């Protein structure tokens, strides 16, 4: 089995940045130490680059799992951006066998529907059964343009259903019929609010982010859920960061309508670059795409940490000439010439992508 030695990188191991080499042996990480001198099948010079665990995208839409309208080719939408694990956030098709056939490691949020302001959970139960232990939660669109919903009563039904089964809830909250504070008060510890910095009515800034601050304090997970520029108002996210609100997760919400289209080569690296341009510190960014989403998805033992003995899922990033340019629905523009670029992705110790 292959041995790969990544030399001279700045390592983010899930807790800190430090200078070290990373040696993989087969499908495991063997050593993370300064100045490792061992023979290897491949030696990769990571001078000036950041080495971390493969990224975890907690909100994607994968072809064959999500609907045809949104699904992207799983590996093309993840691996070239350093993402080695991802959660499909509407799992309406497919099954565990299909999910396991992808190179990227997968989990699923099974979709729940609202009809006449009630939760319709029959198909949700069927999806959960099909995906087995790959099902980590239930996704709902608490959105009047997509669901027949008027208050938080059906959301409470979904939360009760999920929590009784040891699952978490992910809530799409753009175009909500209620204040964001009402949604956050309904969610429990470990549940995820995605598109948390959307613009328009019922947004997080309306109460000065106080309800979001209180929810985070009791364990509700705040996800940017960028979706390019569709469900994130860059000014609100920047205001939140200036107010001391740091998102727990950065996810792409990548779809076939956004991949390689919005503002350049849209994927996790662009989302990281935008977050940095708006004021997130680098350590906050790397936590929000590695250890934090792994924990949120209940996969801390498998994903998100770079440590000896764990699976050799590794990504290497350069901060280089990687332009990005997006304008959100409110007209807020974020652009830059320099951004994150993935230069190497290992999945289980195999080179899955090399720039």
């Amino acid at each position: 089995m292959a041995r790969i030695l990544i030399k001279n990188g700045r390592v983010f191991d899930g807790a800190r940045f430090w200078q070290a080499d990373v040696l993989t042996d087969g499908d495991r990480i063997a050593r993370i130490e300064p100045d490792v001198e061992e023979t290897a099948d491949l030696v990769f010079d990571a001078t000036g680059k950041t080495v971390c665990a493969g990224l975890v995208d907690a909100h994607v839409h994968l072809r064959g799992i999500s609907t045809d309208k949104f699904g992207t080719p799983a590996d093309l939408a993840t691996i070239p951006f350093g993402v080695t694990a991802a959660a499909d956030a509407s799992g309406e098709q497919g099954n565990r066998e299909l999910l396991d056939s992808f190179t990227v490691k997968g989990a699923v949020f099974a979709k729940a529907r609202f009809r006449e302001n009630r939760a319709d959970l029959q198909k949700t139960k069927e999806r959960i059964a099909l995906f087995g232990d790959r099902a980590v939660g239930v996704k709902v669109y608490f959105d009047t343009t997509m669901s027949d919903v008027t208050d938080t009563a059906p959301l409470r039904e979904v939360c009760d259903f999920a929590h009784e089964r040891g699952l978490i809830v992910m809530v799409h909250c753009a175009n909500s019929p209620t204040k964001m504070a009402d949604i956050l008060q309904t969610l429990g510890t470990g549940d995820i609010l995605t598109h948390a910095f959307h613009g328009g009515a019922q947004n997080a800034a309306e109460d000065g982010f106080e309800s979001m601050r209180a929810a985070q304090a009791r364990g509700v997970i705040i996800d940017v859920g960028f979706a390019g520029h569709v469900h994130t108002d860059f000014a609100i996210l920047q205001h939140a960061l200036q107010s001391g609100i740091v998102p727990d997760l950065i996810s792409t919400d990548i779809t076939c309508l956004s991949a390689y289209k919005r503002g350049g080569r849209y994927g996790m690296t662009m989302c990281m670059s935008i977050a940095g341009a708006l004021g997130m510190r680098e350590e906050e960014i790397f936590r929000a795409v590695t250890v934090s989403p792994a924990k949120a998805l209940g996969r801390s033992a498998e994903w998100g940490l770079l440590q000896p003995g764990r699976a050799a899922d590794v990504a290497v990033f350069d901060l280089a000439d990687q332009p990005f340019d997006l304008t959100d629905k409110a007209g807020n523009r974020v652009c830059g010439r320099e951004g994150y670029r993935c230069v190497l992705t290992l999945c289980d110790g195999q080179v899955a992508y090399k720039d």
Side-chain angles (χ1 to χ4, degrees), residues 11 13 18 20-23 29-34 36 306-308:
V11 168
D13 59 11
W18 57 300
D21 300 339
V22 177
L23 175 69
I29 296 171
R31 296 174 63 185
I32 305 176
E33 303 167 16
V36 173
L306 198 64
Q307 294 178 344

Side-chain angles (χ1 to χ4, degrees), residues 98-110:
L98 176 60
L99 197 66
D100 287 348
S101 72
F102 303 146
T103 300
V104 66
K105 297 173 180 178
V108 164
F109 287 88

Side-chain angles (χ1 to χ4, degrees), residues 22 38 52 63 89-91 99 106 121 146 170 199 210 226 235 238 246 249 275 287 293-294 298 303 316 320 334 344:
V22 177
E38 293 204 28
C52 66
R63 184 176 295 172
S90 72
L99 197 66
L121 297 166
M146 302 175 72
M170 175 183 280
E210 288 309 309
F226 268 105
Q238 187 172 49
V246 178
L249 312 181
R287 284 183 183 277
W303 306 340
V316 182
V334 176
L344 181 70

Side-chain angles (χ1 to χ4, degrees), residues 154-216:
L155 178 58
R156 169 52 60 196
E157 289 182 66
V158 173
C159 289
D160 290 344
F161 168 87
H163 298 163
E164 286 170 3
R165 290 162 174 78
L167 303 174
I168 59 175
V169 175
M170 175 183 280
V171 179
H172 163 120
C173 65
N175 305 300
S176 165
T178 72
K179 294 179 180 179
M180 189 174 288
D182 298 331
I183 301 173
L184 289 165
Q185 288 168 4
T186 305
L187 298 180
T189 299
D191 291 335
I192 300 172
L193 184 75
T194 193
H195 311 313
F197 305 99
H198 71 79
Q202 318 289 15
N203 69 66
E206 291 182 349
D207 67 358
F209 303 102
E210 288 309 309
S211 59
M212 184 173 288
R213 195 185 312 277
Q216 272 189 309

Side-chain angles (χ1 to χ4, degrees), residues 115-180:
R115 302 182 191 279
E116 297 181 350
N117 205 44
R118 294 293 306 274
D120 181 351
L121 297 166
Q122 183 55 46
K123 288 188 176 179
T124 309
K125 294 176 185 176
E126 295 171 5
R127 293 286 101 194
I128 291 170
L130 280 171
F131 282 104
D133 64 0
R134 293 292 185 268
V136 295
V138 178
K139 165 77 176 293
V140 294
Y141 291 88
F142 197 68
D143 180 329
T144 57
T145 68
M146 302 175 72
S147 301
D148 183 8
V149 60
T150 58
D151 58 42
T152 58
L155 178 58
R156 169 52 60 196
E157 289 182 66
V158 173
C159 289
D160 290 344
F161 168 87
H163 298 163
E164 286 170 3
R165 290 162 174 78
L167 303 174
I168 59 175
V169 175
M170 175 183 280
V171 179
H172 163 120
C173 65
N175 305 300
S176 165
T178 72
K179 294 179 180 179
M180 189 174 288

Side-chain angles (χ1 to χ4, degrees), residues 13-52:
D13 59 11
R16 60 175 177 141
F17 289 103
W18 57 300
Q19 201 71 25
D21 300 339
V22 177
L23 175 69
T24 70
D25 190 349
D27 64 357
R28 299 284 113 183
I29 296 171
R31 296 174 63 185
I32 305 176
E33 303 167 16
D35 304 317
V36 173
E37 297 294 340
E38 293 204 28
T39 58
D41 300 286
L42 170 67
V43 178
F44 185 89
D45 184 5
T47 300
K49 299 174 176 60
T50 300
V51 185
C52 66

